[in-house]
Amino acid sequence: MSAETGNPADIVDLKVRITNLENRVRDVTDLVGGFTIYEDLFAPTSSCEMLLLDAEGLPETLPIVGDETVTIIYKTRGLKRNKEQYDVRVRSFKIFSLTKKSEDSERQHQYILHGVDDHHIINEMIDLNQSFVGQKCSAAISNIFTNAFIKTDEEFRPFDKVPKLYGL
């Protein structure tokens, strides 16, 4: 099927990879039965749920213990108004839970991986212990943003590593 046909909301060129703490990368695209990315204006971060159909024993062989990163790489089907294809999108989530594990058939299990956006983890780890009394709101916000996000160590921000890790 060409990129011009089909539902414009469909995705093409899907790649799903899981990276553990030892930076071992495992392509699990063939195991993914579907995924949903949740974004909400009233939620502090985005999250995902991913259905895996697994006959390989991935939770034991990778292993999945809750500190892994799942990266979803895809393009939206269709063309932009200027006839260019859509850009590759890269979404990265920290796995925090594996639920609803069940045996589908002999030697095949299905389960759902739950992930939260990397930014949520970083935001929870940043500690602001500075007084902003007497400052204008705009100056206080500027200081918070500069000190908490711009001056953070590069090793502390895993979402900056994703394009480097996959050569994007």
Side-chain angles (χ1 to χ4, degrees):
M1 184 179 281
S2 69
E4 293 85 18
T5 61
N7 184 351
D10 290 345
I11 59 173
V12 293
D13 301 333
L14 174 67
K15 295 180 187 109
V16 181
R17 298 176 177 151
I18 296 178
T19 307
N20 67 6
L21 285 177
E22 299 168 343
N23 283 334
R24 280 184 40 213
V25 179
R26 175 76 191 278
D27 189 322
V28 295
T29 307
D30 295 336
L31 305 179
V32 175
F35 67 89
T36 305
I37 297 175
Y38 298 100
E39 294 179 335
D40 184 353
L41 290 175
F42 302 107
T45 187
S46 57
S47 61
C48 79
E49 289 183 355
M50 182 174 302
L51 174 68
L52 292 178
L53 307 169
D54 179 18
E56 302 175 16
L58 184 67
E60 293 80 23
T61 58
L62 191 54
I64 295 177
V65 296
D67 288 324
E68 296 74 28
T69 302
V70 62
T71 305
I72 305 168
I73 304 166
Y74 63 96
K75 286 197 305 190
T76 305
R77 181 181 304 282
L79 300 173
K80 296 180 183 178
R81 288 187 183 178
N82 60 2
K83 304 293 184 204
E84 288 182 21
Q85 287 194 348
Y86 285 98
D87 297 329
V88 172
R89 298 170 192 241
V90 179
R91 301 295 303 268
S92 178
F93 300 92
K94 286 297 240 182
I95 296 171
F96 69 88
S97 178
L98 184 146
T99 61
K100 297 187 180 176
K101 187 169 182 176
S102 64
E103 191 169 344
D104 255 4
S105 60
E106 189 174 332
R107 296 176 44 186
Q108 181 171 343
H109 292 88
Q110 77 175 20
Y111 46 87
I112 298 175
L113 287 179
H114 301 270
V116 67
D117 193 293
D118 287 340
H119 294 84
H120 180 72
I121 306 292
I122 299 302
N123 290 344
E124 289 296 318
M125 294 171 69
I126 292 174
D127 190 18
L128 297 174
N129 289 324
Q130 182 179 355
S131 174
F132 299 101
V133 175
Q135 290 186 15
K136 292 183 179 178
C137 289
S138 58
I141 291 170
S142 177
N143 288 336
I144 290 170
F145 183 78
T146 302
N147 293 332
F149 298 105
I150 295 176
K151 292 184 179 176
T152 9
D153 183 15
E154 188 171 325
E155 291 298 315
F156 188 64
R157 299 176 289 179
F159 47 86
D160 288 344
K161 295 181 189 179
V162 170
K164 297 173 195 168
L165 188 61
Y166 299 120
L168 301 174

